[in-house]
């Protein structure tokens, strides 16, 4: 055993040495296998060569070493700390060199072979994922090293195995030359984070194989051919097929699509092994300038998915992966981009089984080179091309037999260059049955689609209309947004506006929301930690928490909104009929049942089933609704609600699961009216008006009946959302920083007059920030009929308002409130450009449950279109409808919090009744809210009627 003084291989730009050529991955066969997952001995060193390699020798004493779980990351198991950066490398950029300070984990696993392990044949040791560079010894023999963290590597080890007392030693370095290729907007988490498996390879076993299963949409026939490195036979009993490998057969089949994921069970049998196959027949092509599957253009309603678990990082188990796919299917998502690396292969099995289109992305990103204008970018440096080709080959060979994979992606945010071209050429030579994607190739030199990130709505429409320019090749290609609608914190806004464009223009074939899940790390003091919470030298804060799921996989309001926006059935009603449209690409509506209900003042009066024909994809039908019940003698607002639900249990959701819905008004709401019959009475220190008491000096409301009320006044501030604060490169248009600079978070309230003339108490004020001349002339006019109290607020802007308002309404505190009931939009939060999923009805909640637990606290919890609400002994009716927010802390306390654990309930419930809210947008990375969702500083008048509920 040699003594190594320097780990030269760590900084070698090559992909490594000693590993077997890449091949198809399969989860099961009749050959023996042994999982080496579990508890491993572990020693952490500060540098790559702090220890020699004698630890790999049999008999080396590791009794005093720590233990870690594999799959796992050592920094999430008490050894060191994670680091989050978006694109900055957390080490000096000097490719391929890495710092001397290079945390290195020595892992040792002792194992015996099972008693029934065959004595003959070879064996392969497979690592499915190690970050970022590993060197491997078995029983003291150095068998090789590798880079390519999220890709499989196999080693021939049969000649080294012993019946008992085997010692597997793996040295893992956090930083390596490979780290320059893996700058992927995620936590840097070293370790053996995917499975380690020992595979018996009997004589005549299956080596590599390629399932070719195309579909002819004209004839309805599929053609199957399985190419195999080892001769054998392929049987598919359901199709009565028994073929030699390399032989093709054409038979009638049902095709595979994401909507109808039809799989046929087969077997590949060689002399020494039987491998189960799950075969999906489908053909992907670029035709008529469109991405087509089985002859039909597809519309991607997708998400970007990093692999994440709040405690285990990227070490996902089968249950978590299945939960992800089930949640996607239940929220109408039909596609996933595996950002920015191939996922655990079992995830693709689930996509095959349950039905998702997949863009499979290579383990490649060099984003940090943007800081130096892409100088020295490995993608355009021939020395790195072998590593790039190795990564492309390991992705394609591993995943080529998945029908769900319809595009190969060369990587993400790696600039352009000769290396990418070499990857594209190799992939086309190996697999011409799929398209090639890469967003950074704006001229589409190497790609089959025009892909962009975060293009604003107006630009997307120009692209849809073919007015975007670009090269001749690009103008002839379909367009997708591989990332859009940045789901960071409250949002994303504007989803419905994007979807209308995708559905209006054939060239626009949809997009992928960024991203699936918040990468919060569970933390005992902070709840969930994000960038900077581990003392990182460089970090990008909570930019790592930008998903449609919270870290514990609870769906966010953004996911509910996305589900509604992309629902596969459209509804358009006029009161007596509803036009129903099948928005699917392949499936008819036979799997759905339709239900109607008729609501009076938000409560269901009657309901029943609705007969809808099994419309073909793209087809519509006018369906007559039942005669509505007789109107209530007191009148009232009425509406229809129509739902599409699953008619039977499916593999991804039970019977009755709501897939889509629509609502249509019948009779309009009557605004609340209060006759001003009571008159204000001024006392020494109180003014009374009907059930209310006011401070005689300031005109401040003190109580309504027995309900104490304090600090009611105009409010324009909200705790800025991540999208309000915007991305750092958008300084000129970020509303959050502009609001702060102009002082909207510290408005002063000047009292000008308290008047008790006639039937009203009128309080005149001016609301304005220090240091500026603009403000809001605000008048509060109170009237009463003796029982009810009405407040009319009139607001007139003064001066030069150069920004929209965050919100406009009144805020006050109640001493106690728990349950909240309301008639309006629900059940979840909504804002002007995130309210598609807000269903009008009667709802109830606790005050605590009204809060949305964004990992970084921010404005949240508004309910839209509220007609009336009851809480804390008061009923509030609005004219017009209003936005309701209630929480146990002030907006200022919410604004100051950095984690949910910073928020402590106070002695009051703070209530906002808003006439308006500014839109949300997705400017944390993408565009801000569309101008139509701006809350402009304009004259406004709105009123509320308060009644004590007893």
């Amino acid at each position: 055993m040699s003594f190594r003084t320097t780990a030269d291989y760590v900084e070698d730009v090559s992909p490594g040495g000693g590993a077997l050529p890449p091949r198809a991955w399969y989860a099961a066969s009749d050959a023996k296998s042994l999982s080496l997952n579990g508890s491993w001995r572990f020693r952490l060193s500060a540098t790559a060569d702090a220890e020699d390699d004698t630890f790999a020798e049999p008999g080396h004493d590791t009794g005093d070493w720590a233990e870690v779980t594999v799959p796992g990351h050592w920094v999430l198991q008490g050894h060191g700390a994670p680091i989050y950066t978006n694109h900055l490398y957390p080490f000096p950029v000097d490719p391929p060199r890495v710092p001397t300070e290079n945390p290195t984990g020595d892992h040792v696993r002792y194992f015996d072979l099972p008693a029934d392990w065959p004595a003959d044949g070879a064996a392969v040791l497979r690592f499915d994922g190690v970050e970022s560079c590993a060197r491997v010894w078995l029983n003291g023999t150095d068998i090789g090293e590798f880079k390519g963290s999220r890709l499989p590597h196999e080693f021939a080890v049969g000649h080294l195995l012993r019946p008992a007392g085997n010692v597997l030693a793996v040295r893992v370095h956090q930083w390596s030359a490979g780290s320059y290729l893996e700058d992927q907007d995620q936590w840097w988490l070293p370790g053996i984070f995917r499975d380690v498996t020992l595979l018996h390879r009997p004589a005549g076993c299956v080596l590599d194989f390629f399932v070719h299963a195309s579909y002819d949409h004209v004839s309805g026939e599929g053609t199957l051919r399985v190419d195999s490195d080892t001769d054998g036979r392929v049987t598919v009993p359901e199709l009565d097929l028994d073929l030699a490998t390399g032989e093709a057969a054409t038979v009638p089949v049902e095709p595979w699509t994401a909507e109808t994921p039809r799989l046929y069970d087969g077997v590949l049998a060689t002399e020494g092994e039987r491998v189960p196959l799950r075969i999906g027949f489908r053909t992907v092509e670029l035709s008529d300038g469109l991405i087509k599957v089985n002859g039909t253009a597809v519309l991607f309603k997708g998400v970007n998915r990093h692999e994440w678990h709040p405690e285990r990082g990227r070490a996902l188990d089968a249950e978590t992966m299945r939960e992800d796919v089930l949640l996607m299917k239940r929220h109408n998502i039909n596609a996933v981009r595996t950002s920015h690396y191939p996922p655990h292969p079992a995830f693709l099995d689930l996509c095959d089984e349950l039905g998702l289109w997949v863009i499979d992305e290579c383990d490649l990103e060099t984003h940090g080179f943007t800081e130096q204008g892409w100088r020295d970018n490995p993608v355009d440096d021939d020395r790195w091309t072998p590593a790039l080709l190795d990564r492309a080959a390991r992705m394609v060979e591993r995943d080529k037999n998945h029908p769900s994979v319809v595009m190969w992606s060369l990587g993400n945010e790696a600039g352009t260059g000769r290396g990418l071209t070499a990857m594209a050429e190799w992939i086309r030579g190996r697999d011409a049955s799929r398209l090639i994607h890469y967003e950074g190739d704006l001229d589409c030199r190497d790609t089959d689609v025009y892909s962009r990130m975060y293009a604003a709505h107006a630009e997307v429409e120009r692209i849809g209309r073919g007015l975007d320019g670009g090269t001749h090749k690009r103008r002839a290609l379909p367009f997708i947004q591989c990332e859009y609608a940045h789901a960071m914190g409250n949002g994303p806004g504007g989803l419905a506006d994007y979807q209308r464009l995708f559905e209006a223009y054939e060239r626009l074939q949809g997009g992928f929301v960024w991203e699936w899940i918040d990468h919060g790390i569970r933390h005992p003091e902070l709840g969930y930690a994000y960038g900077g919470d581990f003392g990182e030298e460089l970090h990008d804060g909570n930019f790592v928490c930008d998903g449609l799921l919270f870290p514990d996989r609870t769906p966010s309001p953004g996911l509910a909104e996305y589900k509604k926006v992309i629902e596969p059935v459209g509804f358009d009603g006029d009161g007596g009929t509803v036009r129903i449209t099948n928005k699917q690409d392949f499936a008819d509506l036979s799997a759905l049942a339709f239900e109607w209900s008729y609501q009076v003042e938000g409560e269901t009066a009657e309901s029943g089933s609705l007969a809808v024909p099994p419309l073909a994809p793209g087809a519509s039908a006018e369906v007559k609704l039942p005669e509505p019940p007789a109107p209530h003698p007191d009148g009232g607002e009425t509406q229809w609600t129509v739902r599409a639900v699953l008619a039977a249990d499916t593999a991804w959701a039970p019977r009755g699961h709501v897939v889509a819905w629509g609502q249509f008004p019948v009779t309009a709401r009557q605004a609340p009216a209060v006759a001003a019959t009571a008159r204000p009475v001024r006392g020494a220190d109180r003014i009374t008006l009907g059930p209310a008491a006011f401070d005689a000096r300031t005109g401040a409301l003190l109580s309504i009946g027995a309900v104490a009320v304090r600090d009611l006044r105009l409010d324009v501030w909200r705790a800025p959302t991540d999208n309000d604060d915007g991305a750092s490169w958008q300084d000129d248009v970020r509303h959050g920083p502009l609001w702060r600079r102009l002082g909207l978070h510290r408005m002063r309230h000047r009292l000008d007059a308290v008047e008790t003339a006639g039937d009203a108490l009128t309080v005149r004020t001016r609301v304005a920030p220090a240091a500026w001349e603009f403000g809001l002339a605000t008048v509060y006019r109170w009237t009463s009929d003796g029982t009810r109290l009405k407040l009319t607020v009139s607001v007139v802007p003064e001066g030069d308002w150069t920004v929209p308002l965050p919100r406009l309404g009144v805020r006050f505190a109640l001493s106690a409130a728990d349950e909240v009931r309301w008639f309006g939009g629900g059940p979840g939060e909504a804002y002007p450009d995130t309210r598609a999923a807000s269903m009008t009805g009667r709802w109830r909640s606790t005050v605590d449950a009204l809060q949305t637990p964004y990992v970084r606290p921010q404005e949240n919890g508004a309910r839209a279109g509220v007609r009336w609400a009851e809480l804390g002994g008061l009923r509030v009716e609005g004219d017009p409808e209003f936005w309701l927010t209630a929480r146990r802390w002030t907006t200022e306390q919410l604004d100051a919090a950095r984690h949910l654990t910073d928020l402590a309930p106070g002695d009051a419930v703070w209530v906002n009744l808003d006439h308006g809210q500014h839109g949300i947008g997705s400017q944390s990375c993408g565009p801000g809210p569309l101008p139509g969702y701006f809350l402009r500083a304009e004259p406004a008048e709105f009123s509320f009627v308060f009644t004590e509920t007893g």
Side-chain angles (χ1 to χ4, degrees):
M1 175 72 61
S2 63
F3 183 83
R4 188 178 301 280
T5 58
T6 179
D8 295 332
Y9 62 90
V10 172
E11 296 180 337
D12 190 337
V13 298
S14 74
L20 295 169
R23 65 186 181 116
W25 192 97
Y26 50 93
S29 83
D30 63 352
K32 293 291 183 182
S33 66
L34 176 64
S35 172
L36 297 179
N37 295 346
S39 179
W40 290 50
R41 293 290 183 174
F42 177 77
R43 176 182 66 187
L44 182 63
S45 303
T47 65
D49 54 4
E51 302 284 350
D52 63 29
D53 49 21
T54 57
F55 82 100
E57 290 281 6
H60 185 90
D61 184 6
T62 60
D64 61 348
W65 287 24
E67 292 189 13
V68 294
T69 298
V70 171
H73 307 277
W74 71 69
V75 294
L76 297 182
Q77 300 183 59
H79 306 280
I83 299 168
Y84 168 61
T85 61
N86 168 28
H87 76 279
L88 296 174
Y89 289 107
F91 48 80
V93 179
D94 183 21
R97 305 298 303 278
V98 295
T100 300
E101 298 85 358
N102 187 357
T104 295
D106 289 334
H107 300 69
V108 175
R109 175 72 154 86
Y110 305 101
F111 67 95
D112 300 333
L113 295 178
D116 60 351
W117 190 268
D120 62 334
V124 165
L125 177 66
R126 184 175 70 208
F127 295 88
D128 282 314
V130 182
E131 182 177 329
S132 74
C133 172
R135 192 168 198 95
V136 186
W137 295 261
L138 182 61
N139 293 326
T141 298
D142 183 346
I143 60 174
E145 79 281 345
F146 62 91
K147 308 177 190 77
S149 297
R150 285 152 280 276
L151 295 162
H153 295 82
E154 293 183 329
F155 298 87
V157 296
H159 60 294
L160 300 174
L161 289 173
R162 303 169 180 174
N166 291 284
V167 180
L168 174 59
V170 185
R171 174 164 284 172
V172 181
H173 307 281
Q174 174 154 21
W175 309 123
S176 70
S179 301
Y180 284 99
L181 305 180
E182 296 173 3
D183 187 21
Q184 292 149 324
D185 186 10
Q186 60 183 336
W187 293 98
W188 299 87
L189 299 174
I192 305 172
F193 68 94
R194 287 185 184 160
D195 306 289
V196 182
T197 312
L198 184 68
L199 305 168
H200 179 239
R201 301 283 75 212
C205 66
V206 173
L207 297 175
D208 191 22
F209 64 96
F210 197 161
V211 177
H212 303 274
S214 61
Y215 178 72
D216 185 331
H217 66 280
V218 177
S219 68
E221 294 176 317
T223 299
L224 176 66
R225 187 185 82 247
V226 178
D227 295 332
S228 174
D229 287 0
T230 307
D231 290 343
R233 299 200 69 80
V234 176
T235 55
V236 186
E238 191 174 355
L239 297 176
D240 197 25
L241 288 179
D242 185 347
L243 306 170
T245 53
E247 180 183 354
T250 300
V251 293
V253 296
E254 299 173 47
W256 188 97
T257 74
E259 295 168 9
T260 56
R262 180 67 160 94
L263 293 173
Y264 291 89
D265 290 324
V267 174
L268 168 59
T270 64
E271 177 187 352
E273 188 175 14
R274 292 171 58 86
V275 175
L277 304 177
R278 303 211 76 191
I279 302 165
F281 291 88
R282 57 106 187 94
T283 295
V284 183
E285 62 181 338
L286 183 65
S287 176
D288 303 319
L290 299 173
I291 304 163
K292 292 185 178 181
V293 179
N294 303 336
T296 297
V298 296
L299 184 61
F300 296 112
K301 304 170 183 178
V303 291
N304 287 274
R305 176 186 175 270
H306 268 298
E307 295 184 300
W308 188 250
H309 187 280
E311 295 166 345
R312 300 191 299 272
R314 286 188 287 279
L316 297 190
D317 57 17
E319 293 75 18
T320 299
M321 289 185 274
R322 180 171 287 272
E323 183 180 357
D324 276 348
V325 177
L326 292 177
L327 281 168
M328 290 177 189
K329 294 292 290 186
R330 290 168 185 167
H331 288 86
N332 296 328
I333 289 163
N334 73 0
V336 61
R337 174 177 173 234
T338 69
S339 53
H340 297 295
Y341 41 83
H344 191 293
F347 179 79
L348 298 180
D349 287 339
L350 292 166
C351 295
D352 294 343
E353 172 193 340
L354 297 170
L356 288 171
W357 307 117
V358 175
I359 297 179
D360 198 358
E361 192 147 273
C362 195
D363 191 9
L364 171 63
E365 180 168 337
T366 64
H367 199 173
F369 285 90
T370 58
E371 296 300 308
Q372 53 199 60
W374 295 107
R375 187 175 62 255
D376 299 326
N377 182 12
V379 160
D380 200 28
D381 183 336
D382 290 338
R383 295 177 302 161
W384 296 80
T385 299
L388 302 183
L389 289 173
D390 181 75
R391 289 170 184 247
R394 291 188 182 278
M395 171 183 68
V396 170
E397 301 295 7
R398 191 195 78 167
D399 297 341
K400 58 183 178 283
N401 295 324
H402 290 282
S404 57
V405 176
V406 293
M407 277 192 264
W408 302 116
S409 180
L410 302 179
N412 183 69
E413 292 178 317
T416 58
R418 291 163 286 176
L420 282 179
T421 299
M423 293 169 70
E425 290 175 349
W426 184 91
I427 292 173
R428 285 196 174 94
R430 177 58 173 148
D431 177 25
S433 69
R434 294 175 173 94
L435 306 183
I436 292 181
H437 166 273
Y438 179 69
E439 178 269 340
D441 183 10
L442 292 181
D443 291 335
C444 301
R445 180 182 64 181
D446 298 319
T447 62
D448 298 311
V449 297
Y450 176 29
S451 177
R452 288 283 304 282
M453 295 180 182
Y454 307 108
H457 297 79
E459 183 179 3
V460 170
E461 182 164 21
R462 287 196 300 273
I463 293 170
R465 297 173 62 191
L467 303 177
D468 55 304
T471 62
H472 176 77
K473 179 183 178 183
R474 192 180 88 180
R475 294 198 305 273
L477 293 180
F479 175 80
I480 63 169
Q481 285 253 62
C482 69
E483 293 180 22
Y484 83 113
H486 198 247
M488 185 174 176
N490 187 335
L495 282 169
D497 306 279
Y498 273 121
Q499 195 64 25
R500 280 191 285 270
L501 294 173
F502 295 157
E503 294 177 3
Y505 296 98
E506 187 179 51
R507 186 188 183 194
L508 307 180
Q509 293 197 249
F512 297 77
V513 169
W514 184 268
E515 63 163 305
W516 178 235
I517 188 169
D518 288 343
H519 302 198
I521 294 176
R522 201 180 302 279
H523 191 283
E525 286 85 36
L526 303 177
Y528 290 108
Y530 49 77
D533 288 333
F534 297 96
E536 299 100 307
E537 178 183 14
L538 294 174
H539 67 86
D540 286 286
N542 68 311
F543 201 70
V544 76
C545 294
D546 47 10
L548 294 169
L549 297 180
F550 296 123
D552 64 356
R553 281 181 162 72
T554 299
S556 74
L559 184 55
E561 178 80 357
Y562 195 37
K563 175 186 178 180
K564 173 62 179 168
V565 165
I566 61 175
E567 61 189 8
V569 181
F571 301 94
D572 186 13
D574 63 3
T577 63
V578 57
R579 183 174 181 82
I580 295 176
T581 301
N582 181 359
K583 293 186 174 184
Q584 298 178 110
D585 295 324
F586 297 93
D588 64 23
L589 297 186
S590 58
L592 301 178
F594 290 80
E595 304 169 346
W596 63 268
S597 59
Y598 185 78
Q599 286 86 38
V600 179
E601 289 293 299
E603 292 190 313
T604 297
E606 291 189 19
S607 61
S609 60
L610 193 66
V612 176
L615 298 169
S620 299
E622 297 281 347
V623 179
K624 185 171 176 54
L625 293 165
E627 287 297 320
H632 191 277
D634 296 332
E637 182 178 356
T638 60
Q639 67 180 12
W640 294 103
T641 300
V642 180
R643 293 177 173 87
V645 304
L646 289 179
D649 291 346
T650 70
W652 50 269
R655 177 179 180 270
H657 167 79
V658 177
V659 172
W661 58 271
Q663 290 188 309
F664 322 107
V666 180
T667 58
R669 171 184 183 237
Q670 296 179 354
V674 175
T677 55
R679 302 175 72 85
V681 178
R682 183 182 288 270
D685 59 357
R686 293 286 187 272
I687 298 172
T688 59
L689 176 61
F694 301 82
D695 183 284
R697 183 180 63 85
T698 64
L701 177 66
L702 302 174
S703 63
I704 300 173
V707 179
V709 181
R710 63 182 172 90
D711 296 333
L712 187 149
R713 62 185 188 179
L714 190 79
D715 192 16
V716 300
W717 182 243
R718 72 185 189 195
T721 67
D722 292 315
N723 289 304
D724 289 336
D725 282 341
S728 59
W729 56 86
Q730 299 167 318
D731 283 329
D732 57 331
V733 292
R734 294 188 295 156
H735 285 130
L738 286 173
W739 291 337
R740 287 190 196 278
R741 185 169 66 83
L742 295 175
L744 300 193
H745 60 307
R746 49 176 176 78
M747 301 290 274
R748 307 292 179 84
H749 295 253
R750 187 185 73 205
L751 177 63
D752 289 340
V754 177
E755 302 167 354
T756 53
D759 57 10
L761 166 62
T762 303
V763 181
R764 303 184 186 278
T765 69
R766 187 175 190 269
V767 182
W772 300 94
E773 63 180 357
F774 58 84
L776 300 169
T778 305
V779 178
Y780 308 89
R781 186 174 187 272
W782 299 92
T783 58
S784 175
D785 62 2
T787 302
R788 297 180 294 168
L789 180 70
K790 182 177 182 179
L791 167 64
T792 301
V793 181
S794 301
V795 180
V796 177
E798 297 177 341
D800 184 15
W801 281 87
T802 59
V803 295
L805 295 170
R807 70 179 341 134
L808 180 66
V810 296
R811 182 178 81 167
F812 57 89
L814 298 174
S815 59
D818 187 17
E819 185 176 78
V820 183
R821 298 176 63 246
W822 74 97
F823 174 26
E829 75 178 21
Y831 290 83
D833 54 350
T834 67
R835 62 183 300 179
S838 183
M839 177 181 282
T840 301
R842 290 204 192 191
W843 309 99
R844 66 174 60 213
S845 171
T846 63
V847 169
D848 294 335
L850 288 176
Q851 313 312 306
T852 304
Y854 295 114
V855 174
R856 185 191 75 81
Q858 56 197 271
E859 170 61 36
N860 74 91
R863 268 54 181 181
V866 176
R867 283 75 163 158
W868 57 258
E870 293 179 350
L871 73 166
L874 289 181
R875 178 184 175 95
V876 184
E877 300 172 81
D879 184 13
E881 301 163 3
F882 60 96
W883 307 81
L884 170 69
T885 308
R887 53 177 70 107
R888 298 189 189 278
W889 36 77
T890 65
T891 300
E892 291 74 20
Q893 291 167 329
L894 181 64
D895 190 8
R898 290 298 170 260
H899 294 87
L900 290 171
T901 51
D902 296 334
L903 292 169
D907 60 357
V909 170
W910 291 88
V911 181
N912 278 88
L913 311 176
D914 289 316
H915 176 62
Q917 281 270 359
H918 186 61
I920 296 294
S922 65
Q923 200 173 8
S924 50
C925 190
L930 289 169
Y933 302 116
F934 282 22
L935 179 59
R936 303 187 185 279
E938 298 172 338
E941 183 172 286
F942 48 94
S943 65
F944 304 102
V945 176
F946 299 88
T947 309
E948 186 181 11
T949 59

